[in-house]
Amino acid sequence: MAMNHVIDDLLPTNNWRWITFACIALLAVFLIGTVMNYVVAYFGHCLGVNIETDMRRDLFARLQRHSFSFFDNHKTGHLVSRLTNDLMDIGEVAHHGPEDLFIAFMTIIGSFSIMFSINWKLALILAVAVPIIIVVSLYYSKKMSNAFHNMYGKIAGYNARIENNIGGIRIVQSFTKEDHEIALFQDTNAKFRSAKLGAYKIMARSSSINFALMKVILLLVLGCGSWFVIQKEMSYGEFVAFVMLSTVFIAPVKHINQILELLPKGYAGFKRYLEMMDLEPDIQDAKDAIEMPRMRGAVTFSDVHFQYEASQEVLQQLSFSVKPGETLALVGPSGGGKTTICSLIPRFYDVTSGSITIDDIDLRDMTLASLRSQIGVVQQDLYLFDGSIADNIRYGNFEATEEQVWDAVRNAQLEELVASLPEGLQTMIGERGVKLSGGQKQRISIARMFLKDPAILILDEATSALDTKTERAIQVALDQLTKDRTTFIIAHRLSTIRNADKIIVVRDGHIEEEGSHERLMNEEGHYYQLLQTQTV
């Protein structure tokens, strides 16, 4: 309209002063528009980023509450992809969706109203073509939604392949299987490429058709507008204003089309996000779960049966008890169920039937936090975080004082190692403690457990991968750690459990023998045979 007035009203008067004033006024409007554009662009993206951040926080928190069985069935790379790639476009949709649609519709209504006031016939001709563009965009939007959902699935597989390779790179190189891994990656990469190209092919079709339709609209405006000018139904100024308004009118249609292209990407990620959020943890607190005080550590298994989902039973009719402060050793062939028994105590898995009680209270009647905070697990395949020695030890108790940390270091026979390092406790150990030996990593895990100070301790073949000298040194630390605690030991070397209060031989998911070392040796059963085999 401003252009219309300049050409038809101001220009014929040759009044340069008024023309200059009009240009300055328009400049002021443009400057205000620039500032508003910055505000909308920045703070709109802030909103999108905040939404994306909150969704990642909620999804990560949900993952922390899932049981071991969930992680048994989901690849790490797939879960990482859900936290990263799947949510990339949600922030953009959250920002640009409502904002751009509102601005687009307001611009369409405003520009159409002005065009209608200039020439209602030409305005109606222009309006007829717009629904065609929107229908085409909606048609391809549905196709793109399916394509991007498939693409995100391929991205998850791609991430899983990379995570699997990098995590096992030492095995890959030691077996010289680099070419095999490259071939596997190329296959995964090709599938990802195919899925991505398929999605963009649909997007290109949609964009091309809409581009052609918009150019046809401009041709209609130029052709029909010229006819109206010739017929004296429009002035030159009105014609120029109408052409400029038509570009203003079409620009929001382009934005709507872009939103309809972006929406499937955001929706596909949001759908996968909801799939994860809708998965309830299979192990969680009962409504009336109690907060356990410091436990005495009396553990009782009563007719326990367990199986992993649809697989055959791993444990059958398991019944035994351990008194507070006693040490129970679990021995037997690999795959017999020893580790599974110990995994049931902190409720990493739930029993299929039967019950497990601590201090005469069923595990399922306790809060998970109060249960697990009083159970310590030291494994053969332990995990250390990328950080310093101090960071990993403090994982047992973030509130520990410097003195308590050093007490844990001394009790874990770790003082000599720390003293030999230039940076002491602040020495960085690398991912999974790659810069340390097996014995050093085991000592750190024991120091971490001293800080946690659990009532019940589980040692899952904690020294089986160590040499004899290192094992003896660590056994001193373990003897100190197990003092006055109810302790479960999964033993590979039977010589380390002679002093256990009770020994249980687990075979094929049930208890075959039970008793002290002396009693089982006198019975000359399976335990006797295992010990004889190791001493030959």
Side-chain angles (χ1 to χ4, degrees):
M1 287 297 288
M3 187 64 67
N4 181 14
H5 286 300
V6 170
I7 294 174
D8 285 345
D9 299 331
L10 295 180
L11 199 56
T13 65
N14 295 319
N15 191 331
W16 179 248
R17 183 179 178 184
W18 278 104
I19 293 173
T20 304
F21 179 77
C23 291
I24 293 173
L26 283 174
L27 178 62
V29 172
F30 294 155
L31 289 175
I32 293 171
T34 301
V35 173
M36 295 304 295
N37 183 69
Y38 171 81
V39 171
V40 170
Y42 177 71
F43 289 102
H45 279 104
C46 285
L47 171 66
V49 169
N50 289 337
I51 290 173
E52 189 179 329
T53 301
D54 289 347
M55 291 176 72
R56 283 202 175 97
R57 177 202 62 204
D58 294 343
L59 182 54
F60 186 81
R62 174 56 63 95
L63 289 177
Q64 302 306 297
R65 293 195 291 271
H66 279 291
S67 68
F68 279 18
S69 60
F70 172 85
F71 295 99
D72 293 341
N73 296 319
H74 290 80
K75 295 180 180 179
T76 303
H78 285 202
L79 297 177
V80 171
S81 184
R82 301 274 180 149
L83 281 163
T84 53
N85 301 90
D86 287 10
L87 300 180
M88 284 292 189
D89 293 306
I90 288 179
E92 288 297 302
V93 172
H95 165 215
H96 289 293
E99 170 204 319
D100 285 4
L101 283 175
F102 175 76
I103 294 173
F105 281 117
M106 292 302 293
T107 305
I108 288 172
I109 293 170
S111 58
F112 183 77
S113 299
I114 298 171
M115 286 190 293
F116 193 85
S117 67
I118 294 173
N119 189 301
W120 65 271
K121 295 178 184 178
L122 191 54
L124 290 178
I125 293 172
L126 183 61
V128 169
V130 174
I132 299 174
I133 297 175
I134 295 175
V135 169
V136 171
S137 297
L138 289 173
Y139 171 76
Y140 279 103
S141 178
K142 185 175 181 181
K143 284 182 171 290
M144 283 190 289
S145 180
N146 295 330
F148 280 113
H149 191 277
N150 179 48
M151 187 184 79
Y152 282 130
K154 298 302 180 185
I155 292 175
Y158 173 86
N159 288 342
R161 170 53 53 195
I162 295 174
E163 187 273 337
N164 197 43
N165 174 264
I166 293 176
I169 193 65
R170 289 169 177 77
I171 299 297
V172 172
Q173 293 185 356
S174 66
F175 281 89
T176 64
K177 296 298 182 183
E178 293 90 343
D179 290 341
H180 172 71
E181 288 296 316
I182 290 170
L184 290 176
F185 178 79
Q186 286 176 340
D187 179 63
T188 304
N189 200 26
K191 290 177 180 177
F192 176 36
R193 173 183 177 274
S194 179
K196 200 166 186 178
L197 286 177
Y200 286 123
K201 187 176 183 180
I202 296 171
M203 183 183 289
R205 286 178 185 172
S206 173
S207 178
S208 299
I209 292 172
N210 281 303
F211 177 82
L213 288 172
M214 289 177 185
K215 296 307 177 186
V216 170
I217 290 173
L218 286 176
L219 286 175
L220 279 172
V221 171
L222 288 172
C224 296
S226 299
W227 171 256
F228 287 129
V229 171
I230 293 170
Q231 296 300 315
K232 307 298 183 183
E233 294 186 29
M234 290 180 71
S235 68
Y236 287 107
E238 288 175 336
F239 176 62
V240 172
F242 201 100
V243 171
M244 295 185 69
L245 281 168
S246 67
T247 60
V248 174
F249 179 79
I250 291 174
V253 177
K254 289 181 181 178
H255 280 299
I256 292 173
N257 186 42
Q258 290 170 356
I259 293 168
L260 292 176
E261 288 180 353
L262 180 64
L263 189 62
K265 296 174 71 176
Y267 175 71
F270 185 64
K271 186 177 180 181
R272 286 165 58 83
Y273 168 81
L274 289 179
E275 287 172 1
M276 296 300 295
M277 291 298 291
D278 288 342
L279 287 175
E280 288 293 333
D282 55 349
I283 297 178
Q284 50 188 310
D285 290 340
K287 290 183 179 179
D288 54 350
I290 61 173
E291 192 81 18
M292 287 294 291
R294 178 71 179 184
M295 296 174 176
R296 293 183 297 109
V299 181
T300 302
F301 279 60
S302 301
D303 194 27
V304 168
H305 292 248
F306 176 76
Q307 66 184 56
Y308 294 100
E309 297 181 351
S311 64
Q312 66 180 29
E313 280 194 328
V314 180
L315 303 175
Q316 310 99 29
Q317 296 180 319
L318 211 66
S319 296
F320 65 86
S321 61
V322 185
K323 296 177 182 178
E326 280 191 339
T327 296
L328 170 70
L330 299 167
V331 301
S334 298
K338 304 185 296 296
T339 299
T340 302
I341 291 172
C342 291
S343 295
L344 294 176
I345 299 171
R347 283 191 75 194
F348 293 148
Y349 302 94
D350 261 342
V351 298
T352 305
S353 64
S355 67
I356 302 174
T357 63
I358 297 179
D359 298 344
D360 298 323
I361 300 174
D362 195 299
L363 300 184
R364 291 164 292 194
D365 295 330
M366 308 174 186
T367 63
L368 283 170
S370 65
L371 169 66
R372 292 174 180 173
S373 66
Q374 300 192 59
I375 298 175
V377 182
V378 179
Q379 298 173 306
Q380 173 189 340
D381 184 23
L382 57 93
Y383 193 97
L384 296 181
F385 296 95
D386 184 14
S388 67
I389 293 175
D391 292 336
N392 277 276
I393 294 175
R394 284 185 181 277
Y395 210 80
N397 180 7
F398 289 130
E399 305 301 322
T401 63
E402 193 72 19
E403 184 180 351
Q404 288 173 320
V405 172
W406 276 106
D407 284 342
V409 168
R410 285 187 283 269
N411 288 330
Q413 309 296 307
L414 198 61
E415 191 172 17
E416 185 179 342
L417 169 66
V418 173
S420 68
L421 297 172
E423 296 182 52
L425 285 174
Q426 300 309 314
T427 301
M428 304 302 289
I429 63 174
E431 189 174 6
R432 299 199 65 160
V434 69
K435 297 180 182 180
L436 303 176
S437 70
Q440 290 167 344
K441 288 192 285 187
Q442 199 65 276
R443 287 186 180 98
I444 290 176
S445 71
I446 293 170
R448 184 163 61 188
M449 205 54 62
F450 271 109
L451 280 190
K452 184 176 183 179
D453 189 26
I456 298 172
L457 185 64
I458 298 171
L459 305 177
D460 189 351
E461 301 194 57
T463 62
S464 64
L466 306 176
D467 60 82
T468 305
K469 181 180 178 181
T470 304
E471 181 185 8
R472 287 173 181 167
I474 288 180
Q475 194 61 51
V476 173
L478 289 176
D479 289 342
Q480 179 70 19
L481 181 60
T482 58
K483 199 173 185 179
D484 300 324
R485 305 181 202 274
T486 303
T487 306
F488 292 78
I489 302 176
I490 299 175
H492 175 70
R493 295 177 183 172
L494 302 186
S495 58
T496 62
I497 59 166
R498 292 175 182 270
N499 297 324
D501 297 294
K502 186 184 295 184
I503 299 171
I504 290 178
V505 179
V506 182
R507 191 173 186 181
D508 297 329
H510 65 272
I511 296 175
E512 190 168 283
E513 297 175 14
E514 182 177 354
S516 64
H517 170 77
E518 292 75 14
R519 176 183 169 183
L520 295 180
M521 288 297 292
N522 291 333
E523 290 179 356
E524 297 189 1
H526 191 72
Y527 177 79
Y528 175 84
Q529 293 172 12
L530 285 173
L531 192 59
Q532 291 297 107
T533 301
Q534 290 192 6
T535 55
V536 171

